[in-house]
DNA sequence: GGGCGCGGCGCAGTATGATT
DNA sequence: AATCATACTGCGCCGCGCCC
């Protein structure tokens, strides 16, 4: 999918939230900043020089996108904070004799750029993220265009390296997946048992009521879900679902199993499939207010993550697409996620045995 | 094809606010 | 109170695409 970073807020956020990508870009671009309060910082002058645009142009981008850029670390320094920042710069400049050859050029540049800084009462300061953010918004600067295409290359590269092209089971690469899957598996049993006990024999009852749950949660049945994620009929739909979604499915299954039992007991007979389908609508309605916040969350998680990680668009959940948080990128692409994948391999045997029980 | 709006751009002037 | 570099703002230029 071709991304237009200058116009898509979510695409920009999804890249800037991906710290693995940011680090890789920093390695490759090597734009030297001043380390201050744990982060590399850049002044507006440095940034306008990098992109070869007027300072005013940076200003205007700031005007139009202030909130976004501030979120990514832009700050206006003044007073004591500015003083500390200046001290940091000048001590860096004074150290120049101790610095490796490579950096000397940069230090001289620093010196030129900050000579004027002595007396300024306020200074706009960018983090590396905020700098990239500017680059994504500058449509005409040649350097910004180069930077954007480099960023997109790195995004693709990182995804390929971390996932080896396999995004199908990326949902399993987090701590919470396995416990959720096991819990859900148990509730699934409750659910199928209830369907056995309280609904008259019908070979469609499992799939139809399961689809009811899917439709209620993410507006599509399992067939549609399969298509969106490109799953074959053999592959288990649930193995591709995020833990939050599994938890919610478990809640539905457990809740409906209970609902069904109550209706069965008050009627003192088994229900037909069509009665059960009606009962599900009743169940859905009565749980509506209770389940709504969790459902909103599940929809957003599913739509946003699947777009970012799997390049899969849930058309019916379009309005729920949001940025993927940096925590999520770490969760699913970070070092830990790689370990988890290995650990999951080990656990598969355990999981299998559990299923066979 | 001429006119139009729009976004990007730079200049110049004003406002600001910390420092001396 | 004076200073100074930056933030902020108004203005006009330019190039592009769209519409009549």
């Amino acid at each position: 999918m071709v991304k237009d970073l200058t116009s898509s807020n979510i695409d920009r956020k999804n890249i800037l939230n991906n710290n693995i990508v940011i680090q890789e870009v920093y390695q490759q671009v090597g734009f030297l900043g001043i380390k201050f309060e744990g982060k590399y910082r850049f002044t507006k002058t440095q940034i306008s020089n990098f992109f070869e645009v007027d300072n005013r142009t940076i200003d205007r981008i700031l005007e139009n996108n202030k909130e976004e850029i501030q979120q990514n670390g832009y700050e206006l320094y003044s007073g004591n904070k500015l003083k500390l920042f200046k001290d940091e710069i000048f001590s860096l400049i004074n150290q120049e004799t101790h610095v490796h050859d490579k950096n000397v050029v940069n230090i001289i540049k620093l010196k030129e750029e900050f000579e004027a800084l002595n007396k300024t009462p306020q200074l706009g300061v960018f983090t590396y993220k905020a700098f990239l953010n500017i680059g994504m918004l500058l449509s005409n600067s040649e350097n910004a265009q180069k930077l954007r295409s480099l960023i997109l290359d790195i995004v693709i590269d990182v995804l390929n390296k971390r996932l080896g092209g396999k995004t199908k089971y990326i949902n399993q690469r987090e701590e919470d997946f396995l416990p959720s899957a096991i819990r859900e598996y148990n509730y699934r049993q409750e659910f199928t048992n209830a369907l056995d006990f309280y609904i008259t024999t019908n070979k469609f009852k499992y799939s139809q009521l399961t689809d009811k749950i899917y439709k209620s949660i993410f507006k599509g049945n399992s067939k549609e879900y399969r298509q969106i994620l490109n799953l074959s009929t053999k592959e288990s739909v649930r193995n591709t679902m995020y833990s939050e979604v599994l938890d919610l499915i478990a809640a539905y299954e457990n809740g409906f199993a209970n609902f069904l039992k109550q209706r069965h007991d008050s009627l003192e007979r088994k229900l037909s499939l069509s009665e059960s389908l009606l009962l599900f609508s009743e169940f859905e309605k009565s749980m509506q207010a209770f389940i709504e916040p969790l459902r909103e969350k599940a929809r957003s998680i599913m739509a946003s993550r699947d777009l970012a990680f799997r390049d899969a668009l849930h058309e019916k959940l379009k309005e729920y697409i949001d940025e993927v948080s940096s925590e999520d990128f770490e969760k699913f692409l970070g070092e830990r996620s790689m370990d988890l994948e290995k650990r999951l391999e080990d656990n598969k045997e355990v999981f299998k045995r559990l299923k066979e029980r």
Side-chain angles (χ1 to χ4, degrees):
Chain A
M1 181 174 40
V2 181
K3 292 182 169 132
D4 181 6
L5 296 182
T6 58
S7 62
S8 167
N9 178 296
I10 288 185
D11 282 345
R12 286 198 299 273
K13 283 186 173 160
N14 276 348
I15 287 169
L16 292 172
N17 284 346
N18 191 340
N19 286 323
I20 301 152
V21 168
I22 303 287
Q23 277 170 29
E24 189 60 32
V25 175
Y26 191 81
Q27 296 283 327
Q28 292 197 25
V29 177
F31 184 33
L32 186 77
I34 301 106
K35 198 154 195 180
F36 182 68
E37 292 188 344
K39 284 180 180 164
Y40 289 103
R41 314 273 172 172
F42 306 82
T43 66
K44 198 197 291 174
T45 316
Q46 277 180 294
I47 289 177
S48 58
N49 284 343
F50 182 93
F51 290 120
E52 293 171 351
V53 296
D54 197 90
N55 253 335
R56 184 69 185 88
T57 305
I58 306 286
D59 282 346
R60 227 177 290 264
I61 285 174
L62 272 171
E63 278 165 34
N64 298 331
N65 305 277
K66 203 156 201 175
E67 222 175 289
E68 180 181 328
I69 299 168
Q70 275 173 345
Q71 270 176 16
N72 285 314
Y74 172 76
E75 248 181 291
L76 200 55
Y77 284 7
S78 67
N80 196 41
K81 195 161 189 181
L82 178 59
K83 191 179 170 300
L84 291 173
F85 184 62
K86 282 191 220 165
D87 289 348
E88 186 64 35
I89 291 170
F90 293 125
S91 81
L92 244 174
I93 292 172
N94 293 333
Q95 274 175 25
E96 73 179 281
T97 45
H98 304 103
V99 176
H100 305 295
D101 290 354
K102 263 188 199 170
N103 286 341
V104 170
V105 183
N106 287 320
I107 297 290
I108 291 166
K109 242 182 161 181
L110 265 181
K111 221 173 185 176
E112 284 168 14
E113 277 170 9
F114 294 111
E115 261 173 7
L117 225 74
N118 240 332
K119 290 162 190 170
T120 181
Q122 339 170 45
L123 189 67
V125 178
F126 297 75
T127 57
Y128 196 71
K129 261 192 198 184
F131 153 68
L132 293 181
N133 201 165
I134 296 280
M136 291 174 174
L137 289 162
L138 270 170
S139 51
N140 279 6
S141 156
E142 202 177 304
N143 284 343
Q145 283 169 24
K146 275 187 208 157
L147 181 67
R148 278 198 292 277
S149 94
L150 178 74
I151 290 173
L152 290 177
D153 285 349
I154 289 174
V155 167
I156 292 166
D157 201 47
V158 163
L159 284 177
N160 280 339
K161 264 192 202 143
R162 298 276 162 160
L163 297 169
K166 295 173 291 181
T167 58
K168 198 176 284 171
Y169 298 117
I170 190 172
N171 60 306
Q172 304 191 1
R173 292 172 152 230
E174 61 154 337
E175 206 71 47
D176 289 335
F177 172 77
L178 201 60
S180 284
I182 292 170
R183 263 198 306 273
E184 193 281 323
Y185 178 74
N186 291 328
Y187 286 116
R188 173 82 188 163
Q189 288 197 318
E190 293 288 314
F191 178 72
T192 51
N193 284 344
L195 264 49
D196 281 339
F197 293 148
Y198 309 126
I199 301 177
T200 53
T201 314
N202 184 316
K203 66 174 178 175
F204 302 117
K205 60 184 176 184
Y206 307 104
S207 61
Q208 287 203 21
L209 281 160
T210 305
D211 271 347
K212 278 271 184 189
I213 294 177
Y214 289 168
K215 274 203 169 133
S216 180
I217 295 177
F218 50 83
K219 298 187 179 184
N221 59 28
S222 76
K223 195 181 158 198
E224 291 169 86
Y225 183 89
R226 276 211 163 82
Q227 274 173 4
I228 292 169
L229 262 69
N230 244 325
L231 303 175
S232 73
T233 42
K234 271 196 295 182
E235 284 161 321
S236 154
V237 165
R238 290 191 190 206
N239 286 347
T240 67
M241 288 178 178
Y242 301 101
S243 67
E244 294 88 343
V245 179
L246 290 177
D247 288 346
L248 189 54
I249 291 175
Y252 267 80
E253 287 176 338
N254 194 44
F256 185 67
N258 222 290
F259 217 74
L260 195 58
K261 178 184 187 327
Q262 280 176 22
R263 183 58 52 97
H264 166 270
D265 290 353
S266 73
L267 289 177
E268 296 181 345
R269 64 167 173 83
K270 286 193 175 189
L271 282 77
S272 71
L273 176 55
S274 56
E275 281 175 321
S276 311
L277 292 173
L278 283 174
L279 186 70
F280 187 89
S281 302
E282 217 178 292
F283 165 73
E284 207 182 349
K285 230 177 238 164
S286 70
M287 292 294 158
Q288 165 80 20
F290 178 65
I291 219 80
E292 194 57 25
L294 293 170
R295 192 163 65 177
E296 292 271 311
K297 186 184 166 191
R299 286 177 178 174
S300 171
I301 277 175
M302 207 165 145
S304 312
R305 287 183 188 164
D306 278 354
L307 189 62
F309 295 139
R310 291 170 163 151
D311 204 10
L313 174 66
H314 295 272
E315 188 68 39
K316 290 174 179 168
L317 300 181
K318 231 176 176 171
E319 54 186 310
Y320 295 92
I321 294 173
D322 199 354
E323 63 184 294
V324 173
S325 69
S326 51
E327 290 79 14
D328 275 7
F329 276 107
E330 188 54 40
K331 226 196 273 190
F332 293 103
L333 298 180
E335 296 304 328
R336 203 164 160 63
S337 77
M338 317 274 277
D339 295 345
L340 266 171
E341 191 165 19
K342 274 183 216 138
R343 218 165 69 202
L344 209 65
E345 281 298 317
D346 306 337
N347 271 320
K348 259 186 186 147
E349 288 309 308
V350 181
F351 200 44
K352 248 186 194 167
R353 259 178 277 139
L354 189 92
K355 274 195 167 177
E356 282 156 8
R357 209 166 52 191

